[in-house]
Amino acid sequence: MQMLTKIPKQFYYFLAVIFILNLLQSSFTQLIFDEAYYWYYSQNMAWGYFDHPPMVALLVKISSFFFNGELGVRFMSCILSAVNIILLWLMIDNPKKNDYIKHFFVLVFSMTLLNAYGFFTLPDTPLLFFTSCFLLTYKHFIKNPTWGLAIIMGVFMAALMYSKYHAVLVIFFVLLSNLKLTTSKYAWLAVIVALCCYVPHFYWLYENDFVSIKYHLYERPNGAYSFEKYTLGFFVNLVAIFGLTFPFVYKALFKTKGNDLFNKALIYLTYGVLIFFFVSSFNRRVQTQWIIIVCIPVIVIAFNYMLNNKQALTWIFRLGLVNTVLIIYLRIGLAYQPLLFNFYYESHGNKEWAKAIEDEVGDIPVVFENSYRNAPMYAFYTNGTPTFSLNNFMYRKNQYSINDAEEQVRGKDVAYVSKYLNNPTFTYTRESGGLYKGKYISNFQSYRKLDCIIENDEVTLNTDEPLTLKVYNPYKEDIDLKKLKFAITYMDDYKHPLETLRIHPKTTQNTITRLKKQDTTVFKFQLPKTKKENIGYFRVVISENDLLYGLNGKPISVK
């Protein structure tokens, strides 16, 4: 508390302006799709979700206690971003800093994505905040380790991991910068506290068959390596996160030496994350937000460098002001699309298309084919209308694959929205160019949780050997086999579908006509012959009631 009272009033004036700006932005900007998805998380709080740990859902839930609408999703992000700026300021020890408050705020505000996460509610929002909490605690810990600081640091380590799995990089590279921590009883206490706090999420992962880990490590679709899209794209991201100030920001990083343990931690964290994702760029496209975590240590490094280098101070301030003007323009454009001329971002028009579909279908549930984005967005802007994302073999699994959303629409009369419809009953075209095609289905029945299990890790392509298929029915009702069609989807090395061929599995008992509820039925089948080349995987898929085939089996490698 004493540290806060030493902060000049001018600092709080700048902070208040940014906080109010973020509140206004939050109120007048429609949700982006990921925010709607995380709002959907928050409607059923849990210790984990398909794609991410639960911290982002908790932020949305807390925000909803204070406000409705968009601000009811983003309020806590505005709070965290304001506090985060204070934490960053407290990490800087230079006695000259109080004379350069406006320079500090220009540096912070000019960082593009850090600016956006001042109001957007995404997993990176708490990740950035708890990184600052962790680093500031670590700064005090290395000066005077105590049991109390160890416990606090352990809590922040757990909070980091509850925010996003990438947080493991923060913890690892800070540890790597000071290997003597491995012999510190206080550091080990911090680790034990973190693990104890994280037990609920570990248990959730166990209960859900480690679905998040499997998806991120093994099942996430990828593409063939492209230097332009992957590695060159990574370097473009390095520029994008800092905008016009990037030459001087990186110069500050290169010039800064790890003369003490805290600066060494900042340097290791920055270089470690950048090198990790540079190497990753040879395997997959690195998204810009994946490297945003380096903004936290770089702000401290760059501002300390500015205070000791007049040229850097002048140029970062000037270029930062240009960044700031551009960012304010773009932020207004997020809320008011005509300012961006013909450019439509995902924060534009969502309320309008949701209302148009609602006017057409009324208050009946809506099933969106292959869209964990549209389903929650529609639910948000229609005050919680039941929705479901029916994921087929051309898409990927998501939160709708593991929760009870399917049960909320089963047996109901629904509006079915899919780009694959040939004869839609109704259509709606978004101003951005997206087309929604829909029809009505009475007594909607889907069984997307049917689990097809093949215990082979690898199978020979075009083999004549029969394979064993186990189908687990998790539902509380028997399922008539006549309602189901089985097929094999062949995929390339990057798990993109190439061909889907029908199969006719046989049971050992020809009298079996139904999949027994919450039971496993064993079949035999042969892989259908294919002339497709470059096949890397196959999966068993099921179509129920003539819907498009689902994602029922895991990818099996072929040779």
Side-chain angles (χ1 to χ4, degrees), residues 221-255:
N222 200 4
Y225 175 72
S226 164
F227 175 78
E228 291 80 9
K229 291 181 180 179
Y230 288 19
T231 305
L232 182 60
F234 166 78
F235 287 108
V236 171
N237 289 339
L238 294 186
V239 174
I241 60 174
F242 298 123
L244 297 175
T245 62
F246 81 92
F248 294 94
V249 167
Y250 285 115
K251 183 180 179 180
L253 175 62
F254 298 150
K255 292 288 186 178

Side-chain angles (χ1 to χ4, degrees), residues 29 88 154-155 170 201 212 214 230 290 325 330 332 393 396 409 422 443-444 467 470 490 494 496 509 521 556:
T29 305
L88 287 166
V155 170
V170 178
H201 184 64
S212 303
K214 288 181 178 179
Y230 288 19
W290 291 0
V325 172
L330 292 174
I332 296 173
F393 69 101
R396 73 165 180 89
V409 300
N422 294 320
N443 189 25
F444 179 78
L467 299 176
K470 298 177 181 179
Y490 288 113
Y494 306 102
H496 298 142
Q509 304 177 37
T521 305
I556 304 293

Side-chain angles (χ1 to χ4, degrees), residues 79-93:
I79 296 290
L80 293 191
S81 67
V83 177
N84 195 25
I85 293 174
I86 297 174
L87 297 175
L88 287 166
W89 182 257
L90 293 176
M91 282 188 238
I92 299 163
D93 288 334

Side-chain angles (χ1 to χ4, degrees), residues 238 327 339 385 401:
L238 294 186
I327 287 171
L339 193 67
T385 299
S401 304

Side-chain angles (χ1 to χ4, degrees), residues 387-405:
T387 58
F388 178 53
S389 175
L390 186 80
N391 308 312
N392 68 35
F393 69 101
M394 291 178 279
Y395 200 50
R396 73 165 180 89
K397 291 185 177 182
N398 47 61
Q399 184 62 21
Y400 289 93
S401 304
I402 64 173
N403 66 7
D404 64 349

